[in-house]
């Protein structure tokens, strides 16, 4: 049995309230309090679930002996101690014992099992969830066929530095696999080998104490920046067999986790460079792990009155802040100091100015895998600070403040005024750009964006979509200032991430009563239409607006380019790239999975009313989809 | 022409063009426009650019995937610059696409004929202007 805590149990309501107040990113010490949380009620899986009839039974009937406490019940105790809220999974007998324990022993709450229709989708759901919730979810799958499906989703999360804990069911003991085929083809000597290149750590525990330790370790490793997926292979026997009587099982304490901040000498050196610079530019990408990051980054930028370029791997900086210079004439080109914080492709971020200095702060310098080259081109820098970007912001702000003289402050004020003017210029130009193709059919991506804004701007909204193929229009026309309003992209550019990641993010948003908005590429949805079913099954307030350009358009352009460079026939770029024969009816697809569906909308005049109707459904707490036939980009 | 027709897609393209031609010939008296090109690029040599037929050009613009980077009306598609509103002559367009600069792939005479490009140029010139953004409340929120 799990040792009961002597410390005061934490009031769960109170915890949720505090978590909500801190907007729930990166719970860095979930275990500290909850590892010792009292076990859930009822303690015993054989406790009555359905009310028994009042009348006494007529005769004593011989009943089979049941397993009162399978190993997987203890696993649930450990999982609960870490504060997991969800397991996204596809059911499979190699981990059904754990699933059953979650559902019955754990009362399907914290974690709650969420059914996905493909393990790839389960992984992408956990990916989207983690970026909003700030903590990992579990994904459940067969260690063989399930893991094989899951790899794409896990790879995206790995590239995107997002934590999740994979549970891979397996039958270790060959003597238990019998003579049939299935158990043999669903077992592996080393099930985690398949995902080892895209996870930070894995283990295959041999006993329940081993499991407890490995689960807590898995959580700790996944949540230490750079965050990444981890995997645990769970033996069927370990899950199903009864916990030995008198077993003194212990749940290790996780304790408070402190992310690795930079060395103080390096921070002082960097502060000097920044304060002395004429035009320092702060480039950010995957900085924000918690809601605090925006606050600290705003403080750093304002203290220095320095330009910020947000490459939006996360929601790092308010889009309408006057120092936001992502597309401004006062951006990188003339920078004399370029500070890259958690920038994915820092090699590609360069100032044109002779002698400019480049400094990087990134946790990616602390850990990497070899096989997949997600570490990208080597970035030449003058000062490399291997540390977590967000954790380094507060000491950097303090160090900068200590160095500022009145002279510098006056200089900064002038610089800030110029930056504000440059920022305004950019945003003043957007209506002129957005009107391009305003009345065209297919509908322009700018028009879709503009039609959506009045419907959401007074709601608590979260955009749970990647915008790479949408000309970033929402970032130009809407106002983003909260950490959950944007979640970045897939990381590994694996198409098929969008729809399920939106569902996962919507699961996390729902807890806070937020409405999730997804702009959904058609090709991406076709890789995992089952995502829609999970959204309906889970009653998610999720508005899906199709970016339906009728195909894998990116590849269509590529096919056309290649044919033309070879002096061939460009009219055949349809073949193998477009989704037009037959045309797909996404509204019907949505309806078939139990959600409100509208469209196809071809005429831009029909779009506003359709979106409005769909939003009414979403505000009632259900998902809706509007199929919008859009321009290619 | 038959030896040039290699598969269904090409047949479909030929049929589309033939249909366009028939309908245009029928209406050419009224519209007083140049008759449409009736054959795909591969089957004809480069001709001097005629004035161009905008209606046919619209179909060719789709057929040759110009829309895929420039958007359905040539107003810029996020991956390529706007090519409308246009005052560009056929000659100008032909000269450009045969050996373009930057990311645009070349539309050589092996891929598209001068006559077809002239029709596309006519279509681009016919695309109406966008409205004034100040007249659109959604862009002034
Ligand atoms: C898993 C995976 N398969 C293939 C690709 C190659 N690929 C890149 S973009 C793209 C097209 C995706 O279509 P859609 O999501 O509809 O976006 P569109 O380009 O049409 O806007 C494809 C297939 C990929 N990136 N990932
Ligand atoms: Mg598409």
């Amino acid at each position: 049995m799990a040792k009961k805590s002597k410390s005061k149990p934490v009031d769960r309501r109170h915890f949720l309230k505090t978590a909500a107040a801190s907007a729930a990113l990166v719970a860095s010490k979930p275990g500290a309090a909850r590892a010792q949380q009292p076990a859930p009620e009822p303690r015993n899986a054989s406790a009555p679930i359905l009310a028994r009839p009042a009348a006494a039974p007529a005769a004593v009937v011989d009943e089979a002996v049941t397993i009162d406490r399978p190993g997987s019940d203890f696993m649930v105790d450990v999982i609960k101690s870490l504060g997991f809220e969800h397991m996204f999974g596809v059911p499979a007998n190699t981990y059904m014992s754990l699933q059953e324990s979650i559902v019955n022993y754990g009362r399907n709450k914290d974690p709650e099992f969420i059914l996905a229709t493909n393990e790839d989708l389960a992984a992408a759901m956990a990916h989207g969830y983690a970026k909003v919730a700030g903590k990992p979810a579990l994904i459940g799958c067969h260690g063989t066929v399930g893991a094989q499906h899951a790899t794409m989703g896990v790879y995206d999360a790995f590239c995107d530095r997002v934590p999740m804990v994979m549970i891979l069911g397996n039958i270790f003991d060959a003597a238990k696999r019998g003579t049939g085929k299935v158990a043999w083809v669903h077992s592996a000597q080393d099930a985690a080998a398949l995902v080892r290149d895209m996870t930070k750590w894995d283990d295959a525990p041999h006993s329940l104490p081993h499991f407890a330790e490995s689960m807590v370790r898995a959580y700790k490793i996944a949540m230490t920046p750079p965050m990444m997926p981890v995997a645990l292979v769970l033996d069927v026997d370990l899950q199903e067999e009864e916990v030995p009587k008198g077993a003194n099982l212990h749940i290790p304490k996780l304790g408070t986790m402190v992310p690795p901040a930079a060395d103080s000498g390096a921070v002082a050196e960097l502060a000097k460079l920044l304060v002395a610079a004429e035009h320092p530019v702060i480039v950010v990408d995957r900085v924000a792990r918690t809601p605090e990051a925006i606050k600290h980054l705003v403080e750093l930028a304002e203290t220095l009155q320095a330009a910020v370029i947000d490459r939006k791997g996360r929601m790092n900086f308010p889009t309408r802040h006057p120092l936001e210079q992502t597309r401004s004439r006062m951006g990188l080109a003339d920078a004399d100091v370029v500070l890259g914080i958690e920038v994915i492709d820092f090699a590609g971020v360069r100032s044109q100015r002779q002698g400019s200095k480049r400094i990087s702060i990134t946790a990616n310098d602390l850990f990497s895998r070899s096989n997949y080259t997600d570490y990208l081109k080597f970035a030449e820098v003058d000062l490399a600070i291997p540390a977590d970007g967000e954790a380094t912001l507060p000491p950097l702000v303090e160090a900068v403040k200590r160095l500022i003289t009145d002279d510098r402050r006056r200089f900064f004020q002038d610089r800030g005024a110029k930056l504000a003017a440059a920022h305004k210029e950019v945003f003043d130009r957007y209506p002129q750009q957005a009107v391009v193709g305003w009345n065209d059919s297919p509908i322009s991506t700018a028009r879709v964006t503009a039609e959506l804004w009045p419907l959401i701007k007074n709601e608590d909204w979260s955009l749970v979509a990647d915008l790479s193929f949408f000309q970033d229009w929402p970032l130009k026309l809407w106002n983003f200032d909260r950490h959950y309003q944007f979640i970045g992209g897939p990381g590994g550019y694996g198409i098929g991430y969008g729809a399920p990641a939106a569902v996962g993010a919507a699961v996390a948003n729902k807890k806070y009563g937020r409405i999730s908005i997804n702009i959904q590429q058609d090709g991406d949805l076709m890789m995992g239409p089952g995502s829609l079913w999970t959204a309906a099954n889970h009653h998610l307030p999720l508005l899906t607006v199709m970016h339906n350009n009728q195909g894998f358009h990116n590849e269509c352009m590529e096919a056309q380019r290649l044919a033309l460079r070879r002096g061939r026939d460009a009219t055949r770029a349809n073949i193998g790239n477009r989704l037009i024969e037959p045309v797909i009816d996404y509204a019907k697809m949505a309806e078939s999975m139990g959600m409100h569906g509208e469209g196809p909308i071809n005429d831009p005049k029909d779009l506003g009313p359709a979106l409005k109707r769909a939003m009414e459904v979403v505000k009632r707490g259900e998902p809706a989809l509007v199929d919008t036939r859009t321009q290619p980009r | 022409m038959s030896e040039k027709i290699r598969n269904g897609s090409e047949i479909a393209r030929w049929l589309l063009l033939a249909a366009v031609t028939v309908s245009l010939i029928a209406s050419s008296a009224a519209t007083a426009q140049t008759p449409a090109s009736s054959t795909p690029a591969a089957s004809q040599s480069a001709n001097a650019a005629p004035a161009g037929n905008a209606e046919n050009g619209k179909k060719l613009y789709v057929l040759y995937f110009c829309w895929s980077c420039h958007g359905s009306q040539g107003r810029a598609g996020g991956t390529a610059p706007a090519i409308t509103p246009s005052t560009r002559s056929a000659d100008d367009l032909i000269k450009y696409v045969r050996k373009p600069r930057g990311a645009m792939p070349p539309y050589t005479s092996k891929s598209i004929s001068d006559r077809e490009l002239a029709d596309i140029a006519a279509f681009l010139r016919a695309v109406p202007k966008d409205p004034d953004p100040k007249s659109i409340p959604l862009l002034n929120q």
Side-chain angles (χ1 to χ4, degrees):
Chain A
M1 289 279 162
K3 256 195 205 163
K4 281 211 178 164
S5 164
K6 292 204 178 75
S7 62
K8 218 172 126 208
V10 168
D11 175 341
R12 194 168 152 69
R13 268 238 189 86
H14 172 73
F15 168 71
L16 284 182
K17 253 194 349 219
T18 353
S22 67
L25 269 183
V26 180
S28 61
K29 49 171 190 173
R34 282 170 293 170
Q36 316 295 331
Q37 194 177 320
E41 293 298 329
R43 292 284 303 163
N44 194 318
S46 64
I49 288 169
L50 302 172
R52 296 238 166 113
V60 178
V61 177
D62 193 19
E63 286 194 35
V65 178
T66 56
I67 297 169
D68 282 351
R69 182 139 172 92
S72 52
D73 281 8
F74 172 68
M75 292 176 179
V76 170
D77 290 340
V78 180
I79 287 167
K80 279 180 179 286
S81 81
L82 294 164
F84 282 100
E85 294 177 316
H86 298 287
M87 174 186 257
F88 298 93
V90 175
N93 70 319
T94 52
Y95 83 99
M96 185 52 78
S97 175
L98 180 62
Q99 184 179 331
E100 193 277 339
S101 289
I102 287 172
V103 169
N104 287 319
Y105 172 70
R107 313 310 282 174
N108 202 27
K109 185 150 180 34
D110 301 330
E112 173 189 29
F113 191 90
I114 296 186
L115 179 54
T117 58
N118 184 316
E119 293 82 354
D120 173 27
L121 305 182
M125 284 172 194
H127 184 172
Y129 165 83
K131 284 199 274 188
V132 174
K135 58 183 184 177
L138 298 157
I139 62 171
C141 46
H142 260 321
T144 48
V145 287
Q148 287 160 30
H149 264 301
T151 48
M152 177 67 261
V154 176
Y155 183 65
D156 267 333
F158 163 74
C159 292
D160 200 20
R161 303 294 182 256
V162 166
M164 64 180 61
V165 179
M166 292 186 85
I167 298 293
L168 305 173
N170 196 27
I171 308 171
F172 283 107
D173 185 351
K176 305 273 174 64
R177 293 179 204 150
T179 53
K181 188 174 149 204
V182 181
W184 284 88
V185 295
H186 286 177
S187 302
Q189 292 180 35
D190 180 7
L194 184 69
V195 291
R196 193 157 292 138
D197 281 332
M198 56 184 88
T199 47
K200 203 172 168 191
W201 184 74
D202 66 82
D203 197 12
H206 281 251
S207 65
L208 291 174
H210 185 171
F211 168 83
E213 192 169 317
S214 289
M215 189 64 183
V216 177
R217 192 194 302 275
Y219 186 97
K220 187 175 182 180
I221 291 173
M223 285 295 281
T224 301
M227 297 193 227
M228 286 176 192
V230 292
L232 285 185
V233 186
L234 296 194
D235 180 32
V236 164
D237 275 358
L238 193 64
Q239 298 172 64
E240 290 187 0
E241 280 174 6
E242 186 116 36
V243 176
K245 289 269 177 297
N248 190 17
L249 296 175
H250 166 68
I251 302 176
K253 180 175 169 175
L254 177 65
T256 301
M257 289 171 64
V258 180
D263 163 76
S264 57
V267 169
E269 181 68 28
L270 170 58
K272 252 194 259 168
L273 282 170
L274 289 170
V275 171
E278 185 194 327
H279 179 34
V281 174
I282 304 166
V283 187
V284 290
D285 201 341
R286 256 185 223 137
V287 178
R289 293 181 288 97
T290 84
E292 298 302 298
I294 295 188
K295 218 171 67 192
H296 296 315
L297 197 52
V298 166
E299 197 180 357
L300 177 66
E302 288 181 355
T303 307
L304 287 162
Q305 290 296 308
V308 175
I309 293 182
D310 192 350
R311 294 168 63 100
K312 281 284 183 300
R314 300 288 186 274
M315 176 62 213
N316 302 301
F317 199 71
T319 51
R320 300 293 181 99
H321 193 288
L323 295 171
E324 206 275 355
Q325 306 289 321
T326 305
R327 295 176 175 85
S328 117
R329 64 181 162 79
M330 288 195 64
L332 259 185
D334 190 39
D336 56 344
V337 170
V338 181
L339 167 61
I341 313 181
E342 301 292 1
V343 178
I344 302 155
D345 178 19
F346 198 43
V349 176
R350 298 206 78 93
S351 164
Q352 310 297 317
R353 189 154 158 172
Q354 278 292 315
S356 63
K357 291 260 180 294
R358 289 159 57 76
I359 304 100
S360 71
I361 305 175
T362 176
N364 276 332
D365 285 352
L366 296 170
F367 183 91
S368 26
R369 284 266 180 234
S370 306
N371 187 21
Y372 294 110
T373 61
D374 65 302
Y375 37 79
L376 306 188
K377 187 171 170 60
F378 184 77
E380 292 180 54
V381 295
D382 297 283
L383 179 61
I385 305 181
D388 176 59
E390 179 176 328
T392 302
L393 285 171
L396 181 58
V397 170
E398 289 316 308
V400 163
K401 280 182 178 165
R402 278 197 295 273
L403 293 177
I404 298 177
T405 58
D406 286 347
D407 264 7
R408 291 314 284 164
R409 196 164 288 116
R410 274 191 295 277
F411 178 75
F412 292 175
Q413 268 162 11
D414 286 352
R415 182 166 67 203
K418 284 182 200 140
L419 288 169
H423 170 89
K424 186 170 179 306
E425 262 172 39
V426 174
F427 278 79
D428 285 352
R429 276 199 303 268
Y430 286 144
Q432 190 65 51
Q433 295 168 13
V435 84
V436 170
W438 188 254
N439 294 318
D440 289 350
S441 173
I443 304 172
S444 81
T445 48
R447 174 109 188 219
V448 174
T449 308
E451 295 278 357
L452 268 167
W453 184 231
L455 301 176
I456 63 164
K457 68 178 179 187
N458 296 322
E459 307 292 332
D460 190 12
W461 58 272
S462 165
L463 179 67
V464 291
D466 179 28
L467 297 173
S468 315
F469 292 170
F470 212 67
Q471 295 196 56
D472 282 348
W473 275 116
L475 296 175
K476 300 170 184 170
L477 300 180
W478 302 356
N479 185 5
F480 293 70
D481 57 6
R482 312 258 165 96
H483 76 277
Y484 52 81
Q485 284 175 336
F486 189 64
I487 63 170
Y493 290 97
I495 298 293
Y497 151 94
V503 168
V507 166
N509 278 326
K510 182 181 172 175
K511 180 167 146 187
Y512 301 101
R514 290 176 206 140
I515 280 172
S516 299
I517 312 293
N518 179 26
I519 292 169
Q520 178 61 53
Q521 293 153 211
D522 57 333
D524 180 279
L525 180 58
M526 285 302 286
M527 289 210 179
S531 306
L532 298 177
W533 183 86
T534 301
N537 174 247
H538 223 69
H539 305 284
L540 297 177
L542 168 64
L543 174 64
T544 300
V545 182
M546 292 302 298
H547 170 25
N548 179 3
N549 56 19
Q550 301 202 291
F552 294 111
H553 188 74
N554 201 63
E555 306 314 287
C556 198
M557 290 188 285
E558 197 51 38
Q560 178 192 2
R561 239 173 255 144
L562 281 174
L564 289 166
R565 289 214 179 98
R566 294 165 186 184
R568 294 181 189 164
D569 185 352
T571 69
R572 294 154 63 80
N574 270 336
I575 300 172
N577 296 307
R578 298 206 71 211
L579 297 166
I580 45 173
E581 288 166 6
V583 163
I584 300 159
D585 187 334
Y586 293 99
K588 273 198 188 141
M589 179 191 282
E591 279 170 357
S592 79
M593 305 225 197
M595 72 164 73
H596 174 93
E598 293 229 15
I601 312 285
N602 287 295
D603 186 338
K605 282 201 293 296
D606 299 334
L607 180 57
L611 290 174
K612 203 161 169 224
R613 287 189 294 273
M615 264 304 277
E616 276 157 20
V617 174
V618 173
K619 283 202 236 168
R620 290 200 299 272
E622 295 292 337
L625 178 147
V626 178
D627 180 9
T628 317
R629 290 269 172 82
T630 45
Q631 293 285 334
R633 287 284 177 267
Chain B
M1 161 157 317
S2 61
E3 74 277 11
K4 297 281 181 189
I5 295 173
R6 290 186 298 268
N7 62 31
S9 157
E10 204 151 323
I11 293 170
R13 185 176 70 166
W14 185 84
L15 285 176
L16 169 71
L17 289 168
V20 169
T21 310
V22 170
S23 72
L24 283 171
I25 288 170
S27 64
S28 61
T31 57
Q33 283 181 319
T34 315
S37 30
S38 59
T39 50
S43 64
Q44 68 171 69
S45 58
N47 300 322
N53 176 300
E55 203 175 326
N56 193 45
K58 186 174 180 175
K59 296 198 163 88
L60 294 170
Y61 183 84
V62 174
L63 184 68
Y64 283 103
F65 279 86
C66 310
W67 59 273
S68 107
C69 298
H70 295 283
S72 68
Q73 309 288 311
R75 301 190 206 267
T79 29
I83 47 174
T84 57
S86 167
T87 52
R88 204 189 272 264
S89 69
D91 278 341
D92 221 27
L93 181 72
I94 291 163
K95 212 163 124 199
Y96 185 77
V97 304
R98 295 299 186 212
K99 198 175 179 186
R101 289 180 300 274
M104 173 151 170
Y107 274 81
T108 64
S109 55
K110 290 186 221 160
S111 298
I112 187 168
S113 71
D114 285 358
R115 179 172 287 210
E116 287 169 311
L117 283 167
D119 288 354
I120 290 172
F123 160 65
L124 295 177
R125 287 193 303 271
V127 169
K129 272 205 178 112
D130 279 312
D132 177 358
K134 291 200 187 76
S135 69
I136 296 167
L138 280 176
L139 292 177
N140 295 282
Q141 305 183 54

